[in-house]
Amino acid sequence: ELTIFRFWSIPAPSPSPSTTMKIGLAILALCAASADAFGVPSTRAFATRSAAMRTSLAMSTAEKTEEKAEKKEDDDDKGDEKKKVEGKKAGDEAPPVNIGWNSHKPVEEVPKTLVREGDGPDGNYPMRAKFEKMCREAQISITKAISDIDGGATFQEDCWVRANGGGGMSRVMSDGKVFEKAGVNLSVVYGSMPQEALQAATERGVDRSKGMAPGERVPFFACGLSSVMHPRNPFCPTMHFNYRYFETDGGVWWFGGGTDITPSYINEDDMKHFHGTYKKICDKHDPDYHKEFKAWADRYFVIQHRNETRGFGGIFFDDQNDRDPDTIFEFSKECLNSVVDAYGPIVEKHKNDEFTQKQKEWQLMRRGRYVEFNLVYDRGTVFGLKTGGRIESILMSLPETARWEYDHQVEEGSPEAEFLKVCQQPRDWV
């Protein structure tokens, strides 16, 4: 028995009768199952010490000495408490923790910029503006290239703004000749997050709330461009990228990003081309980058409950603030502008390959794994849900069709079995 979850109402190729579902039901089921993953820890109750006042007309020298010692200890405790609460507090003008699922307002005309000086926390406004400009230009060039490769469908564009500043622009293609679904989303967010939630949505061990008072929500600025491409042909891999820049009101800033590939079958030449493209870029900027960021991708894109990776990785980095911001910006820019060079030739090469129904079914099962990772583990999804992002944009990454087959076992020695070995033991392709 099998189930195909239909995320859109476009007919999908199916070998046998199947049950179809709207995206809302599929998402609600998975989100409900992992509701705890998106919860914000409750505020801890801190016990307060109190000392009973003592009065005495006659007190021995020993008692006086003991009283002085106790008073000194109490003073030290108060001093420690004062140190603990030191730090910046979120201003009255800071946005609420959840800016609201429906707080975006659609606009017909695309604003010249979504980054305005004076909006959000104080920070590096020139970098904010420069990063948004880079993302806008890349969104236009990438969607044009993908439309040319598809040769049929075009991207639908939606724009929106928020009252407290920021907004976004989504470009989504569906029902293409080559791509079942493809999207490239630009977002500019001015928001606030609880410190616990900010930590949960980012790299473990990194203090993103530095400079803020304990327990205080953290106002932030974020700008990013994210994309997922889902081709029809099982021999054309799915591709994802995300490049982003963050600032917090506490003075912390960082860059993050990466590009990764998720095929359904192994093709050595394709993987050498994709990974080789990004190795050249990494080596140009820092000889240690590729080894570090490739390994980071292999660690990050793990479906923990399956003990396998989502795909064949690429590069992934976060928390990059160890050098001049303009230097990291140039690295991010070159990575983003190389997406088409790394991915386009692979799709062109395989978009007309013949395939069997069994191979199509395997592709849909791998898409099911893709959905599992995105809804349970992906930081971008967690971040968007916790900050009240635009749902259509957050879930744009999901494919239109995916498949879950009960207790599916691959045949020993088959191409599918060889594929799974790579997912369980990531390889170095270059």
Side-chain angles (χ1 to χ4, degrees), residues 127-128 130-132 134-135 185-189 198 201-203 208 220-227 240-247 253-260 293 296-297 300-301 310 315-321 325 328-333 335-336 373 377-381 383-384:
M127 179 55 71
R128 296 179 186 181
K130 185 164 71 168
F131 198 88
E132 185 210 20
M134 177 194 77
C135 290
N185 289 350
L186 168 68
S187 60
V188 174
V189 183
L198 182 63
T202 54
E203 184 72 5
R208 298 279 174 77
F220 67 87
F221 163 86
C223 177
L225 188 70
S226 61
S227 172
H240 158 263
F241 71 78
N242 177 289
Y243 291 91
R244 55 198 178 272
Y245 174 67
F246 275 80
E247 292 181 5
W253 61 268
W254 70 93
F255 292 82
T259 307
D260 64 282
F293 295 162
W296 205 335
Y300 176 73
F301 293 106
R310 184 176 76 177
I315 61 168
F316 179 88
F317 60 92
D318 209 350
D319 314 303
Q320 296 302 297
N321 59 5
I328 308 175
F329 170 84
E330 291 301 327
F331 171 67
S332 299
K333 181 179 180 179
C335 288
L336 179 55
F373 177 87
Y377 302 110
D378 184 70
R379 288 181 198 155
T381 303
F383 183 83

